[in-house]
Amino acid sequence: MSLPGRRPILFEPPKLATRPGSPTKAPPGSATKRRRYLRESDDSSGELPLEKFLYRTDPYRSSSAETPLPYPLNFHPLDPTLVGRLRGDNQLHTKIRSILAEFEIESKPYEFQYQSKPNYPGGEERIAVLRVLVDVEDHVSTSNWSKARRALSQTLHDRGFDSITVEILDPARINVVTLLPIAPDHPVVALYESFREQLINEVTRSLGKYWTTLCLFSLHRPSQEPTFAVVISVRPGTVCDWPILRSKLQSIIFHGFEAKKISTPSSSIEIDFSPGNWSTLEPSTDRPGKSFAGDVLKHPKLGSSIGVSGEQGGGTLGGFFRLRCGSNMHRGFLTNYHLVAPPKSAPHIVKELATLEGTRYRPGQADDGTKSSVHYFAIKDIQASMIHCDKLISGHATAQKDAEAAILQRAEYGLEPKGALDERKARAVESQRGLELEKEKLQQLPITLGKVLVSSGRAWSVHKRILDWAFVAMDANQVNRDTWSSPGLNQLPRADAGGLYRNLPEDLVKSSPEIYNPGNPPMSINGFSRLEKGKWYFKVGRTTDITAGICHGTKIVLNISGTEELNSGRTRYDESGKCLGLSKPVGFIEEYLIVSSKPGQDAAQQRDFCDSGDSGALIINAVGEVAGLLFARYSGQTGHLVQQEGWYPGHLKQQDEWYYGAGIATTMPDVLESIAMRTTPRDASGKPTGPPGQLLLP
């Protein structure tokens, strides 16, 4: 993709009189068959880095790079010096056209650009590339692409452009995948789950700690029919004999079909390897802050930006609740533990205690250091909002002056005042006044909301699912403010907000019209529920705001093993503080996955459900019940790129890019059960001495 407003250097290729004919050996007819043929060829066998394997099995891409980065890639304009050299070399373009004609490649305008792959090892550096874009039909061979690519590379070398990589590709068929949810009652789900553990064991034997997730999806590739695929995400750069591993996994699938006496070919479930990962939605330190200009006075509320004293980044205030512990009633809000854990500047012993045990509910006892102070907004978001406010105020001031000048000019010519100009001026003045009030509030921020009262630490439940929650008790002065008594407490977005109900799946609407009713959405949170596969949910997060998706028909398997460096904080602990996932055999767990998509022109397209900073958002069902708590994100790095504009100090605007991601969430019964366990009073021997705590609506 190209950044908006920036055009690459385009050059028209030669026009061929006719389309090239079929070669001596015709290529496999469809894109699916071509990819399968390459996967089984000698060229893709042996120990290979994943990136090289993906390249060698893509029939619609030929690159001069030693190990081409997998698509999607991002494209940027070249620097002016290189642009001048390329435009001034007419012989170069004559030679390029000649080579394309010689090898019968009828391309779209070829282009010179920089390419990169955001947030990918080795992908941040911008590489100059000549891209020859071709529209391939099923019967057309691509076997001459490598010869043409070598000739183009030699030409660039001869003319002093050694640093420019050459790529010939069909952008409409390049290996970019979309992963969509499957209904839980689809027969393929039960079949997959019957041999899933065998797949996990085989992947673990071959890849160890270097695989990250495993899950069945409905997989969509450009110009191909959708297919079911077991998608195995691995760390970038992982080396393996991928065809051998695929063969072993397909053998397991074959025997699974045989055991169930299913006549459908086992090849109807593919095996797909791709770079990808899951990660907790940590407060990002390298992302720009988010501006809340235009909405500042409505906070704090469900979905607000919050942060911990001593940290710049932040996450999401999930929602407001009461926590009853014996005779004590605490008012506060729910969020993620990892968001409100002690800051990096805290003593090591405090951070270790919080990780192993969380914050224990000990009324009347001194703070052990794990009770972090939580404020709104996060520091970087305050800064971003201030800058954005100043820019908006300046823009409205200019609009006011322009309207006043136009009014004055009409008066000088003896013309009647124009009502539209007066209205424009009044709107500009009113907008400035509102933004000035927002600035006054921003100048008072951050405001402390309270301290962590009890939290899970980095734990998992008795059901072997991740726990990542914290209850922040609000300060008395905050409880007595309008925040808690407001009728809008835990207010949910309206039907038209963020297109919330716009793309509801038709089958859900037809099956339960009384629930999925765009004209009658719930006003506020009204109870607790549980995550259910196949159901529709939404969340309100600090970063991506309002998004909705379907709970996938089968749980995603997360690999929680490996060293701390590889895990990036993913190691978990049980209630006794025992480390999980580092012992052999490799540890893995299964979690609920929320996948967001929207109808496309030709097929459904994956959308982003969450991103860094959405930590702590509540997962809410169509009737306003809290069904889960968002804590992590799964993202494949061969899916589509997302672009979002952010405001932050020192710059007015920056384009932030990442890959479409699905949300990983804890079902609410697990959270409520863990809260009860951690708030149950006990004697020195651990025996309960009173009733457990209970999370209640406000």
Side-chain angles (χ1 to χ4, degrees):
M1 67 179 70
S2 299
L3 295 180
R6 305 276 188 93
R7 291 187 61 81
I9 308 176
L10 299 179
F11 299 95
E12 291 292 338
K15 298 294 184 183
L16 299 182
T18 58
R19 298 287 295 182
S22 299
T24 305
K25 184 177 180 181
S30 68
T32 303
K33 290 180 180 178
R34 290 193 188 197
R35 285 197 170 92
R36 189 173 297 144
Y37 172 78
L38 287 176
R39 288 170 185 162
E40 296 168 358
S41 70
D42 292 339
D43 193 42
S44 61
S45 63
E47 298 275 324
L48 290 174
L50 176 65
E51 292 78 7
K52 187 165 287 188
F53 170 75
L54 293 176
Y55 166 67
R56 290 186 178 180
T57 55
D58 192 338
Y60 301 105
R61 183 186 185 193
S62 180
S63 174
S64 62
E66 182 176 351
T67 304
L69 292 170
Y71 267 73
L73 301 173
N74 204 11
F75 300 98
H76 319 265
L78 298 176
D79 65 74
T81 302
L82 187 53
V83 169
R85 289 181 59 203
L86 288 168
R87 284 180 173 164
D89 193 336
N90 293 324
Q91 292 184 15
L92 171 65
H93 304 298
T94 300
K95 184 64 175 174
I96 290 174
R97 295 187 185 98
S98 173
I99 291 171
L100 295 178
E102 176 186 352
F103 291 99
E104 297 183 310
I105 295 177
E106 184 175 355
S107 79
K108 302 172 184 178
Y110 59 87
E111 54 194 36
F112 287 94
Q113 293 175 296
Y114 282 130
Q115 72 179 22
S116 64
K117 188 170 180 65
N119 305 313
Y120 198 89
E124 298 295 342
E125 181 184 358
R126 296 184 177 186
I127 305 298
V129 60
L130 163 61
R131 299 176 76 227
V132 179
L133 309 180
V134 186
D135 183 10
V136 178
E137 296 179 3
D138 282 346
H139 69 278
V140 175
S141 172
T142 60
S143 61
N144 54 350
W145 284 13
S146 58
K147 297 176 183 177
R149 183 246 304 159
R150 286 192 290 269
L152 291 171
S153 294
Q154 186 61 49
T155 297
L156 289 169
H157 170 77
D158 293 343
R159 306 200 68 80
F161 296 103
D162 301 70
S163 62
I164 297 181
T165 297
V166 176
E167 287 219 352
I168 304 175
L169 69 151
D170 183 346
R173 297 176 182 244
I174 203 74
N175 189 25
V176 177
V177 300
T178 295
L179 306 178
L180 298 178
I182 303 172
D185 56 355
H186 194 290
V188 74
V189 172
L191 180 61
Y192 156 73
E193 291 179 348
S194 71
F195 52 72
R196 175 175 54 192
E197 188 169 348
Q198 297 176 61
L199 295 176
I200 293 169
N201 292 337
E202 186 56 57
V203 169
T204 298
R205 277 192 289 269
S206 299
L207 299 176
K209 59 195 176 188
Y210 292 98
W211 70 275
T212 58
T213 67
L214 182 148
C215 194
L216 178 73
F217 287 101
S218 174
L219 186 145
H220 298 239
R221 282 194 180 92
S223 303
Q224 290 185 215
E225 289 295 317
T227 183
F228 295 117
V230 177
V231 178
I232 300 158
S233 295
V234 303
R235 302 180 191 281
T238 298
V239 175
C240 181
D241 191 326
W242 303 102
I244 292 295
L245 177 55
R246 173 181 275 113
S247 177
K248 292 178 180 178
L249 298 176
Q250 286 175 330
S251 176
I252 292 172
I253 294 175
F254 172 79
H255 289 298
F257 273 68
E258 203 173 47
K260 297 290 185 179
K261 298 181 179 179
I262 296 174
S263 58
T264 305
S266 60
S267 59
S268 58
I269 297 182
E270 290 190 9
I271 299 293
D272 186 81
F273 302 110
S274 65
N277 213 335
W278 73 274
S279 60
T280 51
L281 294 163
E282 303 287 346
S284 177
T285 56
D286 55 352
R287 293 274 179 86
K290 178 176 178 178
S291 170
F292 290 89
D295 193 44
V296 172
L297 301 180
K298 298 178 182 178
H299 293 266
K301 63 178 182 178
L302 180 146
S304 285
S305 161
I306 56 173
V308 171
S309 297
E311 298 286 356
Q312 292 287 311
T316 298
L317 187 159
F320 297 97
F321 299 95
R322 292 176 298 149
L323 179 59
R324 182 171 60 201
C325 299
S327 60
N328 297 321
M329 183 68 76
H330 306 279
R331 289 179 170 84
F333 57 87
L334 197 64
T335 187
N336 283 149
Y337 156 74
H338 76 259
L339 169 62
V340 295
K344 296 182 180 68
S345 57
H348 175 73
I349 190 172
V350 171
K351 291 187 287 186
E352 186 175 20
L353 178 65
T355 296
L356 294 175
E357 297 187 9
T359 300
R360 295 286 181 178
Y361 181 71
R362 297 186 177 98
Q365 294 188 18
D367 183 0
D368 57 6
T370 65
K371 297 184 176 183
S372 303
S373 179
V374 183
H375 57 246
Y376 82 100
F377 298 139
I379 299 300
K380 63 164 56 178
D381 295 341
I382 297 172
Q383 296 167 337
S385 299
M386 286 290 287
I387 289 175
H388 195 185
C389 267
D390 286 338
K391 183 173 177 60
L392 291 175
I393 290 171
S394 175
H396 289 306
T398 300
Q400 177 187 344
K401 290 179 181 179
D402 291 345
E404 290 172 344
I407 292 170
L408 182 61
Q409 187 178 41
R410 291 183 66 85
E412 289 176 352
Y413 284 99
L415 300 174
E416 290 291 324
K418 196 172 183 179
L421 290 174
D422 291 329
E423 290 178 10
R424 190 188 308 169
K425 175 184 174 182
R427 284 196 303 269
V429 170
E430 183 179 358
S431 296
Q432 288 179 77
R433 188 179 298 120
L435 287 165
E436 290 291 354
L437 290 174
E438 290 199 357
K439 273 195 67 175
E440 289 180 15
K441 181 170 181 178
L442 286 169
Q443 289 166 353
Q444 299 169 13
L445 299 182
I447 292 176
T448 298
L449 289 171
K451 285 190 172 185
V452 176
L453 179 70
V454 59
S455 69
S456 64
R458 194 183 294 168
W460 73 349
S461 72
V462 294
H463 310 289
K464 295 186 178 180
R465 291 191 287 265
I466 286 177
L467 291 171
D468 193 336
W469 60 266
F471 181 84
V472 178
M474 296 178 68
D475 290 347
N477 64 326
Q478 288 296 324
V479 171
N480 294 330
R481 290 165 64 96
D482 293 339
T483 299
W484 200 263
S485 60
S486 168
L489 191 68
N490 284 344
Q491 181 175 346
L492 299 178
R494 309 314 303 143
D496 57 346
L500 182 57
Y501 288 80
R502 195 174 301 151
N503 294 315
L504 278 172
E506 289 185 11
D507 55 339
L508 288 179
V509 176
K510 290 178 180 177
S511 64
S512 306
E514 73 285 357
I515 295 178
Y516 301 103
N517 183 358
N520 187 31
M523 297 293 292
S524 61
I525 291 172
N526 55 51
F528 296 105
S529 181
R530 64 175 61 245
L531 290 174
E532 296 181 61
K533 299 169 186 175
K535 298 295 185 182
W536 178 88
Y537 299 96
F538 71 91
K539 70 104 183 76
V540 183
R542 169 261 182 199
T543 305
T544 56
D545 199 23
I546 304 165
T547 58
I550 301 295
C551 188
H552 193 34
T554 184
K555 292 178 183 176
I556 187 170
V557 180
L558 310 180
N559 187 351
I560 62 169
S561 67
T563 64
E564 194 67 24
E565 290 77 19
L566 284 175
N567 260 321
S568 300
R570 294 204 307 270
T571 306
R572 317 305 295 186
Y573 302 85
D574 65 15
E575 286 288 334
S576 65
K578 181 182 177 182
C579 183
L580 304 167
L582 298 185
S583 60
K584 294 182 179 181
V586 173
F588 60 86
I589 53 176
E590 300 170 10
E591 298 289 348
Y592 290 97
L593 188 70
I594 314 293
V595 183
S596 184
S597 64
K598 66 176 180 179
Q601 188 171 9
D602 300 317
Q605 301 171 3
Q606 191 173 352
R607 301 178 68 183
D608 211 41
F609 183 77
C610 57
D611 195 47
S612 176
D614 286 330
S615 321
L618 302 178
I619 305 296
I620 303 168
N621 66 18
V623 295
E625 297 168 330
V626 180
L629 184 65
L630 179 70
F631 70 89
R633 179 177 190 264
Y634 162 69
S635 180
Q637 292 174 301
T638 54
H640 298 276
L641 284 169
V642 186
Q643 293 185 336
Q644 176 169 314
E645 294 177 350
W647 299 85
Y648 70 111
H651 299 73
L652 289 182
K653 190 184 293 186
Q654 170 176 304
Q655 261 195 318
D656 200 20
E657 294 143 1
W658 63 95
Y659 304 90
Y660 280 131
I664 302 174
T666 305
T667 187
M668 207 59 198
D670 282 5
V671 175
L672 297 177
E673 182 180 27
S674 179
I675 289 174
M677 289 179 62
R678 287 186 172 265
T679 54
T680 299
R682 302 176 187 275
D683 59 21
S685 65
K687 184 178 179 180
T689 59
Q694 186 178 11
L695 193 70
L696 306 169
L697 296 178

